[in-house]
Amino acid sequence: MKRVCKRKVMLDALTVCFEVTNRYHYDHISELEYGETYDLLEFQLVRVEGRYYNNVYTIMYMDEDNMIEFGQLKFNVGKVHANNLHDNGNPKAWISINNQCLYTKDQYHLGFIADKLGLEPHNITAMDLCLDTSFNVSKSLRQLIKNKSIDTILNGTKVKDRDEDRPEI
């Protein structure tokens, strides 16, 4: 008998690329120093250091008595100026939602936050899905990889050596 998982597939990570259509807030937050806060009443942006982006801001808001860290607003990718603009010349910005917010209704604040910042959605940059199961999925995957009647694509690459050890499983 085959095991079937009837649990929902969930979002585990989400990053959305936006087009800056109203530069008012964009221009103001661009001038913030590290650690400074930009208050928009319903939420705040705190400038933090980023690895790949020159401008990174933690998005925070109050939910009753708790300060919630919603995610990060990022723009100005490294030193590559061409990657920072859409074809029409408008700047790009990305919002990544924290994992904890994806498991609650907090994720629905994304539209409000983007709207308030003058951002229009352009595309989904990254989306990780997850499925929690009560059984070992790795064993089934290994069996499928060894099955020569199936063309297996693992992490975007066709599996050629079916007997190779796969630490990612």
Side-chain angles (χ1 to χ4, degrees):
M1 184 172 117
K2 289 188 178 183
R3 290 184 172 179
V4 177
C5 181
K6 295 184 180 182
R7 295 179 183 168
K8 292 181 185 179
V9 174
M10 302 285 291
L11 277 175
D12 199 45
L14 180 66
T15 301
V16 179
C17 178
F18 291 90
E19 180 177 334
V20 180
T21 56
N22 181 342
R23 293 184 62 111
Y24 179 80
H25 294 297
Y26 178 85
D27 291 339
H28 281 83
I29 63 176
S30 296
E31 298 172 6
L32 292 178
E33 297 294 328
Y34 293 110
E36 284 190 305
T37 301
Y38 188 74
D39 196 344
L40 287 119
L41 300 179
E42 294 89 355
F43 63 95
Q44 299 174 334
L45 301 174
V46 180
R47 178 130 189 227
V48 296
E49 287 194 44
R51 186 172 180 182
Y52 300 110
Y53 298 85
N54 293 331
N55 297 79
V56 180
Y57 307 87
T58 300
I59 304 167
M60 311 279 289
Y61 66 90
M62 286 296 291
D63 186 22
E64 296 177 11
D65 294 333
N66 301 320
M67 183 63 85
I68 306 291
E69 187 176 314
F70 178 77
Q72 288 191 325
L73 169 68
K74 304 174 265 194
F75 54 89
N76 288 333
V77 179
K79 298 178 183 176
V80 185
H81 185 68
N83 290 341
N84 293 320
L85 300 175
H86 287 285
D87 293 338
N88 62 6
N90 285 341
K92 292 179 182 179
W94 292 265
I95 294 179
S96 298
I97 301 176
N98 280 355
N99 179 274
Q100 298 89 340
C101 291
L102 292 170
Y103 286 91
T104 65
K105 294 186 187 270
D106 293 341
Q107 62 186 298
Y108 299 116
H109 296 302
L110 178 61
F112 172 78
I113 291 169
D115 205 36
K116 186 92 172 177
L117 290 170
L119 306 174
E120 289 288 326
H122 188 267
N123 63 282
I124 294 174
T125 303
M127 179 172 59
D128 292 351
L129 303 176
C130 68
L131 176 66
D132 295 326
T133 66
S134 59
F135 54 91
N136 186 351
V137 176
S138 299
K139 183 179 177 185
S140 300
L141 282 174
R142 285 187 190 98
Q143 289 173 345
L144 289 171
I145 288 171
K146 290 184 183 289
N147 186 341
K148 293 181 180 177
S149 65
I150 297 175
D151 286 336
T152 306
I153 309 293
L154 183 62
N155 293 331
T157 306
K158 184 176 179 178
V159 173
K160 294 178 184 170
D161 182 1
R162 295 181 181 278
D163 295 321
E164 181 182 344
D165 183 33
R166 310 222 178 264
E168 66 267 34
I169 297 181

